Amino acid sequence: MKRGIKLKIAISSDHGGNNLRKEIKDLLDELGYSYEDFGPKDSTSVDYPDYAQPVSSGVAAGKFDKGILICGTGIGMSIAANKVKGIRCALVHDVFSAKATRCHNDSNIIAMGERVIGPGLAREIVKTWLETDFEGGRHERRVEKITEIEQQN
Ligand code: RB5
C-alpha cells in the first residue's frame, strides 16, 4: 500500500460540501498527501454528478490511487461515483465503517456529507480510511464478484 506523499488523491465536492472539502484538504496537507482538487471554486450551486465524474474517472483510470467526494449528504456523490466501472465508493459517517470498508471492500473512493457530520469526525474518518489496508483473503473473492456483476451489466 502506497502511503503519504506517494499516494495520489483526487477530491471534489458540490456546493453542499465546500466547507468540509476545505477542511479535508487541510488534513491532507498536514498528513503529507498529494492531491488534486476538482472543485468547485466557489459556493455557487452546482450539480454533484459533474464533480463526482472527474474524480471517479481519474481513480478508475489509475491516475489517482483514491478519491474523496463530499456533498450535503454524501449520497448523491456515492451513487454517481459507483456508476463508473472500477469504482467502489463507500458512503461513510463513522470511523468503524471507514476501517471496515477498506479492510473488506477495498473501497477506492469515500463519500461523506457535510450536513451529516462535523469536521472533527470527518477528519478521523478520512485519516482512518487512508491508513487502512485491504485485508484480501476471502474479501478478495467477494470484491471480484462485485467486478463480475459490473461486467455483466
Ligand atoms: C444539494 O442540495 C444536495 O442535494 C447535495 O449536496 C447532496 O446532498 C445530494 O445527494
Side-chain angles (χ1 to χ4, degrees), residues 67-98:
I68 301 171
L69 296 172
I70 304 163
C71 61
T73 60
I75 297 170
M77 281 294 207
S78 62
I79 292 172
N82 280 316
K83 296 296 178 191
V84 176
K85 279 192 175 173
I87 293 305
R88 292 177 301 280
C89 176
L91 174 61
V92 174
H93 290 127
D94 67 276
V95 175
F96 173 81
S97 300

Side-chain angles (χ1 to χ4, degrees), residues 107-121:
S107 53
N108 47 16
I109 295 185
I110 190 170
M112 297 181 295
E114 181 183 316
R115 297 172 188 158
V116 182
I117 51 170
L121 177 55

Side-chain angles (χ1 to χ4, degrees), residues 1 7-10 59 64-67 102 108 129-130 132:
M1 167 70 56
L7 196 70
K8 190 115 191 342
I9 296 165
V59 171
F64 303 98
D65 299 294
K66 288 182 177 173
R102 285 291 311 128
N108 47 16
W129 185 74
L130 289 172
T132 303

